[in-house]
Amino acid sequence: MSLPLSDAPQPLGAITGLHGDVLQGWALDPDNPDLRLAVEIYLDHAFVALVRADRQQSLDAPGDGFHGFAVQLRPNWLANARHIAARIANQGPWLEGGIDLPAPAAQQPVPIATQVYYRGGLKLKGWAWDPAVPTRHVALQVREGERLLLTGTADQPHPSLVNRPTSDHGFDLDLPWELADGQPHELHIETDRGVPLSGSPIRLCLHPEGLSVLLQRHWPRCEPASDDPLPLLACLTKAQEERFPGSAGFNHYLEWHALFQQPRPFESPPGNVLVLLLGEGSAEDEAASHASLLQQRLPTTQIRTIAPAATDLLESLAQHAPDARLVVPLWRGDRLAAHALDTLLARQAESGAAWVYADCDQDGHEGARSNPWLKPAWDETLFYGVDIVSPGSAFAGDTLLRAIAHLQQTGQVAADWHRLLASVVAVQAGPVTHIPQVLYHRYAGAPVSPHQSLPSAQRQAALHWLIQQRTPGASIEPVEGFPAFNRVRWPLPAQLPHISLIVPTRDQLELLRACVEGLLEGTDYPALEIIVVDNDSREPATLAYLDDIARRGVRVLRYRHPFNYAAINNWAVEQAQGSIVGLINNDIDVLEPGWLKEMLGQLLRPGIGAVGAKLLWSNGMVQHGGVVVGVNGLAAHAGNHLNKDDPGYLGLNQLAREQSAVTAACLLVRKADYQRLGGLDERRFPVTFNDVDFCLRLGEAGKRLVWTPFARLIHAESASRGKEDTPSKSARAAREQKNFIERWGNLGQGDTYYHPGLSADYLTGPYGGLAMPPRQSTPRTVLRIETTFK
């Protein structure tokens, strides 16, 4: 017989304290102590967060020790609130210990505010901040039972801390590879004072090859009638790996390479290979390169090697290339993997590409593998900035002959490798294929990352020649702080096109004023129309400012409908007078006057459909460094763990490059292209993913998208519309995620500009580590490359 409601056991719980901006407490259902309850957090009776009580709790609380919760509250929320309360989710009872704000000073020492996250793989990330000593970097340790596995320090920038005076209290810990043994492990993460982090312990059971491989390997041999579940299980494991991928740190590359970079069976492809030995080096260096050729699976009868002097390069190639199916450059001291030549030969034959290139890594001590360069598919914009394609490349013989002929026709009689490669790019002999496989090993003394290379006057001259072929009047210069990198300044027409910048807003006067004043006074572009779309602002100060800027020439349009970001922008674009439109969030703050000219110069290049900017949080961390599609089956911004001046993986944080998508927080596009595609999808994506969806549709239409680090602005991400912090917002966000997966789920394993061997989970972030397991490894062929003006 059920108890009367008043006699039924009630869940217990309490808020135990607010430490900095982290609220901690516990919640337990005494009638079902194994249940981990969900807790709703309220500020001034408004719901702001949902958290599960499944973490280590205070010692004096009942239960098994793991009914605690911790949730970070934004400082600006706390600054304007008067009371914090919590209750069991779904109309449950309120917890004891509500806090009136401002909270009184703690009588006891303030505990360190911490958070550790684990989402699979061999990565732990989080932050640890000591409110009593805000500048202190907390030391950490990870234990399994009594065994100390590793130590670390919370001294890295972390996006969760961008609103604090210092944000360098994050950590990124790489768990030992030995834990990827398919066995269960329970890890305890503690501070240097022995205090468990919020979220500790974490439990993992990891097989590095993933569920799909385990399924194929261990599914029992059954009678056909009992095999029915297999297709369903295969589908479920594939979805699991796409939505919940794991990753490992780059320090595990040796083990990762041994497991995931095994060669395919030898295929004995037809055709001869000409190996072109380049560069300077000792006799020992040359011997190492030759030794790798003797170890090739391809028969020696199909391999020929030449080592021409620099002044004889073109003549020697013109003599020997006609007899070669492929020409493979090899720098003295570097080595080719034993399966490199047959793989390059087979993949080029399959794709019919004018040239192909593979990934490369670096020789370490005693032949250990290190420092992988896992490359994107062919990206001419990136090539202007840095050459990462040469190590591991292979060119069809007739491609090089066409490039040589083009050099001769343009008066380039004596040419080095850089000039020859620039000519290969210039003649556009056909598709370019990237083979996502490590086939080339740079010598131990080579630069670890491209940004550590020395600048090359020969490459600079070759690129200047190339961009003049593309766009007369373009110029090239070294990137400030990175002399081995280049920036191209694309010329603007004498008659500048009219640009309409569209800024949706609803109140948020401080943000709006900073944005509009930056556009009016801090932007160096004369042919400019600024459109502020007011979505039902109510505050008198905001309305007065809108009247003021209208008198100063800003067009203020009134949009009196429910908030729908996509619909607002579509409506405003229809009324824009410019031939080019810019979508600008009202929480954008201009840093440099030339940002719009930089974006326009990129947009006016042939084939470019949209351009995005480098957006920063106010503390200098990167908020948007391009978008990677497929992260947890969705999409994510790149670069969030970097400061603005960090090089990033392969230097990508400092190089203009092409992307599958960029954010609409600051996006430039031709009005005609925007309208031709129907603008943002206001039905499926009213608030989120509309920009990614639009960019992907733009790519489908044959346009390319560029992200440039040379247009830098501040973006207080979601400061205007807020977070997904109410049930209705969460439900809407879930619908948009579902719609995105349904429309673009086939891209989840294959963003053209992102390597399938790089991490694809939100925890690690794009370029933050190695995918475990890697996604599909089929070659990626780019059919369209840059075209000249007509």
Side-chain angles (χ1 to χ4, degrees):
M1 182 177 70
S2 62
L3 294 172
L5 185 61
S6 60
D7 296 330
Q10 294 295 305
L12 302 174
I15 294 173
T16 57
L18 178 65
H19 308 295
D21 55 5
V22 177
L23 185 72
Q24 295 183 352
W26 61 274
L28 166 70
D29 184 348
D31 198 40
N32 189 1
D34 291 332
L35 181 66
R36 310 300 162 177
L37 298 172
V39 177
E40 298 171 349
I41 311 299
Y42 290 80
L43 293 179
D44 296 339
H45 307 291
F47 170 80
V48 296
L50 182 70
V51 62
R52 186 171 297 281
D54 60 357
R55 298 172 180 171
Q56 194 159 13
Q57 66 199 50
S58 55
L59 296 177
D60 57 350
D64 60 8
F66 294 99
H67 291 284
F69 63 83
V71 59
Q72 184 185 16
L73 305 176
R74 293 186 65 160
N76 62 318
W77 296 351
L78 296 171
N80 299 317
R82 295 184 178 182
H83 186 75
I84 304 176
R87 68 187 298 177
I88 305 302
N90 298 320
Q91 304 300 311
W94 293 93
L95 305 186
E96 297 178 357
I99 298 175
D100 291 322
L101 299 175
Q107 300 299 315
Q108 301 296 326
V110 179
I112 297 171
T114 63
Q115 183 68 64
V116 61
Y117 301 99
Y118 176 73
R119 297 290 185 269
L122 291 173
K123 279 279 189 182
L124 294 180
K125 300 191 81 167
W127 49 269
W129 177 62
D130 189 344
V133 189
T135 58
R136 184 169 83 90
H137 292 130
V138 177
L140 307 168
Q141 57 185 17
V142 180
R143 296 182 179 275
E144 184 176 22
E146 297 300 317
R147 186 165 68 107
L148 179 65
L149 294 179
L150 69 143
T151 61
T153 305
D155 59 358
Q156 301 179 19
H158 196 283
S160 294
L161 309 177
V162 295
N163 295 309
R164 292 183 174 156
T166 58
S167 59
D168 58 340
H169 301 287
F171 60 83
D172 183 343
L173 301 179
D174 294 309
L175 297 173
W177 186 268
E178 66 192 62
L179 297 181
D181 56 4
Q183 301 300 314
H185 298 274
E186 182 175 280
L187 307 183
H188 295 261
I189 304 93
E190 302 173 348
T191 70
D192 46 12
R193 297 175 181 172
V195 178
L197 272 64
S198 296
S200 173
I202 63 112
R203 299 171 179 86
L204 64 87
C205 184
L206 174 65
H207 190 282
E209 293 176 282
L211 292 175
S212 58
V213 171
L214 282 176
L215 181 67
Q216 296 170 8
R217 186 176 297 163
H218 298 296
W219 185 261
R221 300 287 182 182
C222 301
E223 296 297 325
S226 63
D227 273 349
D228 292 344
L230 187 56
L232 174 61
L233 287 174
C235 181
L236 290 175
T237 56
K238 181 176 182 295
Q240 171 79 9
E241 290 175 352
E242 288 182 5
R243 296 299 306 278
F244 304 102
S247 58
F250 287 109
N251 61 305
H252 289 312
Y253 175 66
L254 178 63
E255 295 89 351
W256 186 90
H257 178 275
L259 185 60
F260 297 120
Q261 291 292 308
Q262 295 301 311
R264 292 174 56 170
F266 179 62
E267 301 178 21
S268 187
N272 295 326
V273 175
L274 178 66
V275 177
L276 178 63
L277 202 60
L278 296 171
E280 300 178 354
S282 64
E284 183 180 0
D285 292 336
E286 186 163 339
S289 298
H290 278 292
S292 73
L293 298 178
L294 296 176
Q295 295 169 355
Q296 293 297 304
R297 299 191 304 183
L298 194 70
T300 56
T301 54
Q302 293 179 246
I303 305 172
R304 183 173 183 181
T305 304
I306 60 173
T311 54
D312 300 329
L313 177 63
L314 297 189
E315 182 179 351
S316 183
L317 281 174
Q319 177 182 352
H320 296 288
D323 298 325
R325 176 70 177 268
L326 278 187
V327 178
V328 177
L330 176 62
W331 278 260
R332 284 177 173 85
D334 293 351
R335 301 183 307 110
L336 291 168
H339 56 293
L341 293 184
D342 63 272
T343 301
L344 290 167
L345 202 55
R347 299 297 162 265
Q348 189 276 333
E350 289 173 0
S351 65
W355 53 288
V356 300
Y357 64 95
D359 303 318
C360 61
D361 62 12
Q362 190 168 16
D363 285 331
H365 297 295
E366 299 180 355
R369 309 266 42 86
S370 64
N371 302 322
W373 290 9
L374 304 181
K375 308 171 186 178
W378 170 244
D379 175 353
E380 185 167 330
T381 302
L382 177 61
F383 174 75
Y384 297 141
V386 65
D387 175 14
I388 60 173
V389 301
S390 283
S393 58
F395 302 83
D398 58 353
T399 296
L400 288 186
L401 293 176
R402 287 182 59 181
I404 292 170
H406 182 66
L407 287 171
Q408 293 171 341
Q409 291 167 5
T410 55
Q412 309 295 309
V413 179
D416 55 21
W417 168 256
H418 296 293
R419 191 67 62 107
L420 177 60
L421 181 57
S423 186
V424 169
V425 175
V427 298
Q428 305 174 132
V432 183
T433 294
H434 168 236
I435 304 167
Q437 189 174 357
V438 176
L439 300 179
Y440 190 98
H441 306 314
R442 307 181 325 273
Y443 77 101
V448 169
S449 174
H451 79 276
Q452 297 176 339
S453 301
L454 296 174
S456 168
Q458 291 86 358
R459 172 168 161 77
Q460 201 80 358
L463 288 173
H464 178 75
W465 173 80
L466 174 60
I467 62 173
Q468 292 306 310
Q469 303 262 311
R470 290 283 185 255
T471 309
S475 62
I476 192 165
E477 63 192 47
V479 174
E480 183 179 357
F482 297 90
F485 291 169
N486 294 309
R487 172 185 182 178
V488 179
R489 292 188 183 269
W490 301 101
L492 299 178
Q495 183 66 40
L496 292 173
H498 199 57
I499 299 178
S500 298
L501 300 181
I502 297 169
V503 185
T505 193
R506 175 185 289 172
D507 291 314
Q508 300 287 343
L509 176 57
E510 291 184 9
L511 294 173
L512 178 64
R513 178 184 286 117
C515 177
V516 172
E517 296 303 323
L519 300 180
L520 283 172
E521 307 296 338
T523 299
D524 178 19
Y525 194 85
L528 190 60
E529 176 189 43
I530 300 173
I531 300 174
V532 172
V533 187
D534 176 35
N535 184 207
D536 203 21
S537 292
R538 303 293 180 86
E539 297 174 0
T542 303
L543 298 176
Y545 181 70
L546 292 174
D547 290 340
D548 174 61
I549 58 177
R551 289 190 293 269
R552 296 163 62 190
V554 174
R555 289 182 66 191
V556 177
L557 306 179
R558 308 290 180 175
Y559 185 86
R560 304 188 185 281
H561 304 282
F563 176 73
N564 180 316
Y565 178 82
I568 290 171
N569 281 286
N570 291 347
W571 179 73
V573 168
E574 291 295 328
Q575 302 179 67
Q577 297 173 356
S579 61
I580 293 172
V581 294
L583 307 187
I584 307 292
N585 279 15
N586 70 343
D587 50 3
I588 290 289
D589 195 356
V590 172
L591 287 175
E592 302 157 344
W595 68 275
L596 189 54
K597 288 183 176 178
E598 163 64 19
M599 295 180 72
L600 179 62
Q602 296 283 359
L603 183 66
L604 295 183
R605 293 167 51 200
I608 303 302
V611 179
K614 184 174 187 175
L615 303 181
L616 310 173
W617 279 297
S618 58
N619 69 344
M621 288 183 67
V622 177
Q623 185 269 326
H624 171 253
V627 171
V628 173
V629 180
V631 178
N632 282 101
L634 297 165
H637 289 190
N640 284 173
H641 61 294
L642 300 173
N643 279 316
K644 64 180 185 302
D645 297 324
D646 289 340
Y649 183 67
L650 300 186
L652 298 180
N653 192 38
Q654 304 297 336
L655 294 164
R657 50 194 168 84
E658 295 172 23
Q659 294 279 268
S660 293
V662 293
T663 179
C666 182
L667 180 146
L668 207 64
V669 62
R670 292 175 179 84
K671 180 178 177 179
D673 286 340
Y674 188 96
Q675 293 178 312
R676 188 177 298 114
L677 292 178
L680 306 181
D681 189 332
E682 55 195 69
R683 183 174 66 85
R684 291 183 178 88
F685 308 107
V687 179
T688 60
F689 293 108
N690 42 56
D691 48 0
V692 182
D693 170 74
F694 174 77
C695 289
L696 293 175
R697 287 188 283 124
L698 199 56
E700 276 191 335
K703 298 287 187 175
R704 307 196 319 280
L705 295 95
V706 168
W707 174 83
T708 173
F710 309 119
R712 301 195 302 181
L713 305 98
I714 295 290
H715 181 211
E717 182 187 20
S718 300
S720 180
R721 68 176 175 87
K723 297 293 186 181
E724 317 297 358
D725 52 11
T726 67
S728 61
K729 286 185 178 180
S730 297
R732 188 263 312 145
R735 288 194 300 272
E736 291 173 342
Q737 290 183 10
K738 178 176 178 291
N739 290 338
F740 185 83
I741 292 170
E742 289 177 350
R743 176 175 283 184
W744 299 109
N746 62 317
L747 287 181
Q749 297 287 290
D751 187 322
T752 299
Y753 298 104
Y754 192 66
H755 195 284
L758 291 171
S759 57
D761 60 291
Y762 280 123
L763 177 68
T764 303
Y767 305 104
L770 301 163
M772 197 164 66
R775 298 169 298 286
Q776 64 184 23
S777 58
T778 53
R780 290 102 59 85
T781 299
V782 175
L783 300 177
R784 292 179 295 273
I785 58 179
E786 187 126 4
T787 56
T788 56
F789 283 120
K790 295 182 179 179

